Amino acid sequence: ADRLSSGSDTGEQSLMARSHGLIALGRLDEALQSVSRFTFGALRSAVAFESRRHLISASVDVLMGNAGGLRSAAKCEIRAQAQGATLWASVARVYAASSGSSTFGSAIQRQIEDDLAVVSVCADIVACHLDWLGGPTLQAVESEIRRRPERWRSPLRRVVAELTGPAQAAAAKLLDEVGTHEDVVLLRKAAKAARGGQFPPAAGRGLSRRLAPRVFVEDLGRIEVVIGERLIEGSAIRRKVLALLAFLLTRTGFAATRDEVLEAMWPDLEPGTAQNSLNQTVYFLRRVFEPQFSEDITPGYVGQDGETLWLDKDLVNSRSRRCRDLVAQATAPADPAVVMELARSYRGKFALDFLYEDWAGHYRDSLHAAYLRVVETSLRADTDSGQYERGIQLAQVATEAEPEAEELQLALTRLYRLSGSLAAAAEQYQSYARTQRDLGLEPEPFEQL
């Protein structure tokens, strides 16, 4: 800033750019100092230079509530119109109309009809008076804010931090929608300070949830937890914490009563001791997802009240749940694409980390049986209808997850033979026969398949 000179086009253009940036950041005192260095009336080669100089100066005065700011903005509109600078005339009109709700609403409505994008050029003043807008006018402005959130975040933040009442509440509602992580703390602080009124009491919490990285638990085979782009091996998580996570994944809606959790996790402990263990385990599970967990600020992947414990279904999903959903979709006659997606998604039995836990056994066995039923039914349908190539592709994918499943091996052998791939059929049969003999069983003769 010290090196900028107002004695040339380039120097004063730089001062104007700096002033624009300071206004957008809400640093109005610095913007005023920058504007004071303008050389008003000096000839410049850039188009509408004088209009822009006066408009920036008027904008700072209006935003700071300085006397004469509105009159200066009105003069800017006249000057810009005379120079044919219609964009700057439109901006000046919006600033000049900010004396009251009626004139401001009319100016914004006119601008929406002419060119909605100009509302974003005026974001700094519009953000201060969102509460003056309503109906279709407000809806159009909200649409523009969602379209260009980067332009609006700083003005909205300034209003939330510095104003009170309806204007603050209106800005908070939109910042809660288009803000970034840094805005969560600002919104929660403002909500506590407002203590009711029109200010949305949950402001910041919805934003925190929308921006939260989604969790996907790879719970078929050995467990892994994927949080956004971060992968956590199950072995890196305390065993009881991992067990509690896996247990909740087996429950409908990822929710269980406190007694169900205690009975499954700590059946041999006294109730008081078991409850303490549960509370500690929940503490550590929350910090798997949110190392800096705060009940008021962080999104809350794990919920707990007096009687219930749950995982947030909007933030957490699992491989096994995805497969269960695909099984539910695969109603007869099953869509082959759904069955193939199921086969590709299923990567083995549930939670091998807890192979001998009773609470995991029923869920593991029921999912595995449902998966095999859908795949085997589809393979029989493909065999009967002559869709051998499609059946072969499905059987190949399915046997990767279940290489020792007798029905899948037999189905693949039959499909190879029926499609004319006799060498592949013979090799697949040898694999099937070897598996059967390892189990002490006699395989069916190849000729009878």
Side-chain angles (χ1 to χ4, degrees), residues 15 18-19 28-38 60:
L15 278 174
R18 182 172 187 273
S19 302
L28 299 180
D29 289 335
E30 294 176 72
L32 187 61
Q33 293 176 9
S34 186
V35 167
S36 69
R37 298 170 62 187
F38 289 172
V60 176

Side-chain angles (χ1 to χ4, degrees), residues 151-168:
R151 172 66 186 97
W152 286 85
R153 285 178 186 135
S154 288
L156 291 172
R157 286 167 186 153
R158 182 160 53 86
V159 174
V160 172
E162 299 177 5
L163 300 187
T164 59
Q168 184 194 39

